[in-house]
Amino acid sequence: MSIRCLFGTACAWLAATPVPAAPLSTCETRSGSTPVVIVELYTSQGCSSCPPADRWLGGLRQRFGASVLPLSMHVAYWDYIGWKDPFARREFGARQRELTRANASPSVHTPGVFVQGRELPDWSVTVRFEARLAEVARQPAAA
């Protein structure tokens, strides 16, 4: 018997089986008044400048709590030089290229940081990074 047939048999059985009436319940959730700030780091194990950026990203939750969602995106475009990054995904490099185009940036590079979809070339300058966080936090949450 094929999986499709088994699935169809299970669906037919479930449809024919009476379900006792249960009280209706609702599920409700609300976001906070400010958005969670998404910070994307494009990195690679083949990049000599990336370890400090990785450490920086790793400390964001400790510094800013749940108001920041740090994401590490390992790209594969450095794999050709001989150091294959086992965490790299082509999809991450494609996303970085899309964001780079959307930001009219001149190049794709690592480490590369985007805050809420906007490139932040001077991400390592604390005042600049915190100013961008504050800018995003002033916007109302979309969810």
Side-chain angles (χ1 to χ4, degrees):
M1 182 179 279
S2 73
I3 291 175
R4 181 180 291 161
C5 184
L6 284 174
F7 180 72
T9 303
C11 288
W13 178 80
L14 286 172
T17 304
V19 177
L24 292 177
S25 62
T26 59
C27 177
E28 186 175 309
T29 187
R30 296 177 193 270
S31 67
S33 58
T34 59
V36 173
V37 181
I38 299 171
V39 179
E40 297 171 67
L41 169 65
Y42 291 89
T43 185
S44 174
Q45 288 189 346
C47 160
S48 62
S49 304
C50 290
D54 290 325
R55 284 190 295 279
W56 170 82
L57 186 77
L60 290 182
R61 287 301 284 248
Q62 185 176 14
R63 287 179 55 210
F64 299 102
S67 65
V68 172
L69 176 62
L71 301 172
S72 180
M73 313 279 226
H74 285 244
V75 297
Y77 54 76
W78 290 117
D79 287 357
Y80 78 94
I81 62 173
W83 182 279
K84 185 159 175 49
D85 186 338
F87 304 107
R89 302 282 308 249
R90 283 192 169 85
E91 296 88 352
F92 296 158
R95 176 165 172 76
Q96 185 185 21
R97 283 188 293 280
E98 287 173 21
L99 287 171
T100 300
R101 275 193 294 277
N103 281 268
S105 298
S107 66
V108 174
H109 56 275
T110 57
V113 173
F114 291 80
V115 177
Q116 213 75 350
R118 196 169 94 199
E119 188 168 23
L120 191 62
D122 51 359
W123 57 269
S124 63
V125 178
T126 303
V127 248
R128 302 292 259 169
F129 179 74
E130 290 177 356
R132 178 68 179 128
L133 289 183
E135 178 185 335
V136 173
R138 284 192 296 271
Q139 303 167 8

